[in-house]
Amino acid sequence: MLSTIGRAAVRRVVAPGPQSTNSAFRSIWHLQNVGAFHNQKISSTLRKTSFSPGRTYATATKVAPKSKTTTKTAKLKKKPVAKKAVKKAVKKVAKKKKVVKKLKPKLKARPPKKKILTEEEAKKAVVKDLKAKALILPKRLPRTAWTVLATEFSKANPTNPRVASAMVEASAKYKSLSPAELEHYNHTANQNKAANETMYKQWVESHTPEQIRVANLARTQLRTKDPLHKWRAIHDDRIPKRPSSPMFFFCKERYASGDLKGIALVDNARLLAREWAALSPSDKKTYENQATTDKQRYAQEYKTVFHRDPNFVVKEKAT
């Protein structure tokens, strides 16, 4: 039996040509030999440029074994992976903010310069302020027979330019009135008095006690600052009566005794002043106690009406 080397030598002798196991080299060599029979020129050129394979003997080529992991993975079919639905991002449209225009701060008006008043202008300004606080009393109806007749006469002749002559005529008519006519005018006057009292009371109650108190204080000052007009005090039953002094209680007792009847008022005042000064401290104590009680009464009523203590109580508490 031939060895492997002998068998390879026999193949080289029997089959002239490349005995390489590589099929690519065998096909190229076969083409070169077949073309040489048909065209000797081409064959000569092909021989020059023919491939000379490096190996002309058969060798056993080792094939790398395939890994088991690759075969297993090839057999296994890849399961289709379900693609998760990707939510498209929705762009939120930002709301446009309303641009608020900042208002420019208004420039403060400069206070007007105070006018320097003269002495007379200052007095007039004080009187004007006091008149505003004094309150205007409601108009009253005529309260006497004469004023009732004069009012009727003026209303009957409104176009008469001569007021003095009209009053002369009204006076002559009043003197010539009959008793029945005079009784009629007196009756009308009495009705007007009752209507005035009702109207005055309603007007007073339409104001607070504090407003009436301030009005009376203003009227007290106007009696000296504006003497051309009568500034009578406004009577209000709600305002408590002011407390009396010890001498007032003494004079009241002396008048009640009847010893001062028929004596002039000025003489009465002189006599009472002398008697008061001649009294002993123990005798005066009785009247002083009455004055203290009256003072306490006034403080209580004042606080009830005005919701505060009177000034003398505030001063006593401060000391």
Side-chain angles (χ1 to χ4, degrees), residues 14 31 117 249 268 274 280 303:
V14 174
L31 289 172
L117 302 176
F249 287 102
N268 278 335
R274 290 172 189 171
S280 62
K303 191 171 184 178

Side-chain angles (χ1 to χ4, degrees), residues 37-189:
F37 291 102
H38 297 286
N39 194 347
Q40 293 181 355
K41 292 181 180 181
I42 296 170
S43 63
S44 61
T45 55
L46 287 171
R47 285 172 185 171
K48 293 178 182 179
T49 60
S50 63
F51 291 97
S52 57
R55 286 188 310 172
T56 58
Y57 55 91
T59 57
T61 58
K62 293 182 180 180
V63 179
K66 293 182 180 180
S67 62
K68 293 181 181 180
T69 57
T70 55
T71 56
K72 287 181 180 180
T73 54
K75 289 179 181 180
L76 294 173
K77 292 183 179 179
K78 292 183 180 180
K79 293 182 180 180
V81 180
K83 294 183 179 180
K84 293 182 179 180
V86 180
K87 293 183 179 180
K88 293 184 179 180
V90 180
K91 291 184 179 180
K92 293 183 179 180
V93 180
K95 293 182 179 180
K96 292 184 179 179
K97 294 182 178 180
K98 293 182 179 180
V99 179
V100 180
K101 293 183 179 180
K102 293 182 178 180
L103 298 175
K104 293 182 179 179
K106 294 182 179 180
L107 297 174
K108 293 182 179 180
R110 292 181 180 179
K113 293 182 179 179
K114 291 184 178 180
K115 184 181 177 181
I116 299 173
L117 302 176
T118 60
E119 188 176 353
E120 292 183 1
E121 289 175 346
K123 287 181 180 180
K124 288 180 180 179
V126 171
V127 171
K128 186 178 179 180
D129 185 48
L130 291 172
K131 284 182 178 180
K133 294 177 181 178
L135 301 178
I136 300 172
L137 296 174
K139 290 183 178 181
R140 297 183 178 183
L141 299 173
R143 295 170 293 172
T144 62
W146 158 247
T147 53
V148 172
L149 176 64
T151 304
E152 288 182 357
F153 195 85
S154 62
K155 287 181 180 179
N157 301 285
T159 58
N160 192 352
R162 297 180 181 181
V163 179
S165 62
M167 288 299 102
V168 171
E169 293 176 6
S171 178
K173 185 178 179 179
Y174 179 75
K175 291 176 182 179
S176 63
L177 287 175
S178 63
E181 290 175 341
L182 187 58
E183 182 185 4
H184 167 70
Y185 284 110
N186 286 330
H187 181 70
T188 304

Side-chain angles (χ1 to χ4, degrees), residues 212-226:
I212 301 298
R213 187 188 70 83
V214 172
N216 284 332
L217 291 174
R219 284 171 174 269
T220 303
Q221 296 181 34
L222 285 171
R223 289 188 197 111
T224 56
K225 296 182 181 296
D226 187 23

